[in-house]
Amino acid sequence: MQGDDHYYENQRGKGFVEKTAANFPKTPWGAMCAQFFDFNQDGLLDLFVTDMHSDMTKGQTMEALGFRLEMEKTKSEKFCAIQWTEEYLQGSSNNIFGNAFYQNLGHGKFEEVSDLLGVETYWPWGASVGDLNADGYEDIFVTAGMGYPFRYGNNSVLLNEGGKRFFDSEFLLGVEPRKDRRTEKFWFALECDGADKQHPECAGQSGKVTLMGALSSRSSAIFDLDDDGDLDIVTNELNDRPQILISDLTQRKPIHFLKIKLIGTKSNRDGLGATVKVRAGDRVLTQYYNGKSGYLSQSSLPLYFGLGDATKVDAIEVRWPSGKRQVVVKDLPINRLMRITESDN
């Protein structure tokens, strides 16, 4: 979780060559999760990387500091520089101390634009991607928190505003605060007059002492759990039951979407590794079929395309792992699951 990240380029299945410096000259120092997706509908896959460990200095984790925008939505360079030496940081000139977002400029070039897009979060772990409001632009759900002995950290919903930036929406959408406003739970108990009397938490205490720990999410999966056409969220919690966050989007307004399940023949059975483009009017929506895997999680395999205001799909293009390019232009439904089988010709 500490040090440089590395990018290895596949040499047509014959091996890998490291090309980090050429493509990603600065990477997060404490990276936890990476997600590729096309955030601005230009047909190129961009890269989002969360960085948890850069938020773990004493200056950031002290309970007395509480919530401060300075910590929650800005990079951590100055906190890290105060506490950690250059030797410990292993050469900080190559690092970003916070989340990173690399916009794909094409031809193997990326630009780091995390601050411009507003994707900095505090204590992030896993990130999941999906079009939560079905507008055609994929959004990000970021799990967060550390548990005992630290304070509570909010999960983040970063709504994609038309491929221009992301907007913090967890409180607007009901993800935060948690149900019944829970922020902590029983963690453990100490016998301060007995076996635990030397424990730091027993200083100045006697008898049985109960310790509470902050709730904390580690990862999440985004998929249509109740099959009503919008995307829901299930979290994996540290030392607690999962959260099941059911969207009521389809109850609030009509939406347009398309789910696509790939069936490989020459390629692998699920078509993993395919790139799918959905053309709806003047918009082309691109997704890479990777199983929606993230840190400690995997979302449902069918791809979900929010269509925004589009009422029909004009064409679907699949580039299969086998190298085959397949275009489907007939019998294209909306608001349902469509199965596409890899063709033989």
Side-chain angles (χ1 to χ4, degrees):
M1 293 191 293
Q2 302 170 15
D4 299 342
D5 299 329
H6 297 274
Y7 166 68
Y8 297 90
E9 190 172 279
N10 192 328
Q11 304 299 297
R12 297 182 178 273
K14 297 180 180 179
F16 291 85
V17 174
E18 183 177 5
K19 292 191 175 182
T20 310
N23 293 276
F24 306 100
K26 285 193 173 186
T27 62
W29 182 71
M32 291 301 303
C33 179
Q35 288 284 4
F36 274 101
F37 67 107
D38 179 11
F39 90 99
N40 58 356
Q41 294 184 5
D42 64 356
L44 301 173
L45 294 177
D46 311 291
L47 173 62
F48 175 59
V49 183
T50 61
D51 178 351
M52 180 275 293
H53 205 76
S54 292
D55 294 335
M56 289 302 296
T57 66
K58 291 181 180 178
Q60 294 162 289
T61 58
M62 287 173 55
E63 181 68 27
L65 289 176
F67 178 97
R68 291 216 319 261
L69 189 63
E70 180 183 14
M71 293 191 302
E72 306 287 332
K73 295 299 295 181
T74 59
K75 294 290 190 291
S76 302
E77 284 96 338
K78 70 176 184 179
F79 291 102
C80 296
I82 291 172
Q83 180 170 334
W84 295 325
T85 64
E86 277 292 308
E87 182 180 3
Y88 181 79
L89 294 174
Q90 303 176 41
S92 61
S93 62
N94 296 330
N95 295 128
I96 299 166
F97 295 93
N99 297 343
F101 198 105
Y102 300 97
Q103 182 176 351
N104 192 335
L105 304 179
H107 307 291
K109 300 297 182 182
F110 291 82
E111 180 181 5
E112 205 290 303
V113 292
S114 57
D115 290 338
L116 291 175
L117 296 184
V119 296
E120 192 58 45
T121 60
Y122 188 56
W123 281 342
W125 290 81
S128 294
V129 173
D131 190 357
L132 296 173
N133 56 0
D135 66 348
Y137 292 92
E138 292 195 284
D139 312 296
I140 310 173
F141 182 82
V142 184
T143 55
M146 292 304 301
Y148 175 85
F150 304 104
R151 67 172 176 84
Y152 179 74
N154 296 323
N155 291 327
S156 296
V157 178
L158 304 177
L159 279 188
N160 189 334
E161 294 189 304
K164 297 178 180 178
R165 62 172 288 112
F166 290 85
F167 181 72
D168 290 275
S169 306
E170 56 273 9
F171 286 93
L172 294 176
L173 298 181
V175 170
E176 296 287 353
R178 293 181 180 230
K179 185 178 180 180
D180 300 325
R181 296 186 174 272
R182 295 177 69 230
T183 59
E184 62 180 6
K185 64 170 293 182
F186 170 80
W187 216 252
F188 58 91
L190 299 173
E191 294 293 344
C192 291
D193 292 334
D196 301 317
K197 62 182 179 181
Q198 299 301 320
H199 194 284
E201 296 284 4
C202 282
Q205 304 285 341
S206 62
K208 185 175 182 179
V209 174
T210 297
L211 278 300
M212 304 295 287
L215 298 175
S216 169
S217 301
R218 286 293 185 266
S219 60
S220 63
I222 295 179
F223 60 106
D224 187 1
L225 180 62
D226 52 0
D227 199 27
D228 66 347
D230 53 31
L231 294 178
D232 311 298
I233 303 169
V234 177
T235 68
N236 177 28
E237 301 290 307
L238 175 64
N239 197 28
D240 197 37
R241 62 183 182 270
Q243 291 188 88
I244 301 177
L245 305 170
I246 301 297
S247 172
D248 64 356
L249 181 63
T250 54
Q251 284 74 53
R252 289 176 175 268
K253 67 175 187 178
I255 66 170
H256 305 127
F257 67 92
L258 176 62
K259 300 176 185 178
I260 296 178
K261 178 177 176 57
L262 299 182
I263 303 171
T265 54
K266 292 184 178 180
S267 302
N268 62 80
R269 180 182 60 188
D270 292 314
L272 293 173
T275 299
V276 180
K277 294 180 180 289
V278 172
R279 183 179 298 278
D282 60 354
R283 300 176 69 180
V284 179
L285 313 178
T286 303
Q287 291 191 33
Y288 177 66
Y289 202 53
N290 67 347
K292 293 292 184 182
S293 297
Y295 176 72
L296 297 179
S297 67
Q298 179 175 317
S299 298
S300 182
L301 284 177
L303 292 174
Y304 179 94
F305 290 87
L307 300 176
D309 295 330
T311 57
K312 68 173 185 175
V313 170
D314 301 305
I316 300 172
E317 177 186 318
V318 182
R319 290 192 176 271
W320 295 90
S322 64
K324 181 182 295 295
R325 176 179 177 269
Q326 182 176 350
V327 179
V328 182
V329 295
K330 293 183 179 180
D331 301 320
L332 302 180
I334 66 168
N335 294 352
R336 54 165 283 192
L337 172 67
M338 180 179 183
R339 292 176 172 83
I340 300 178
T341 301
E342 186 176 10
S343 64
D344 294 328
N345 49 38

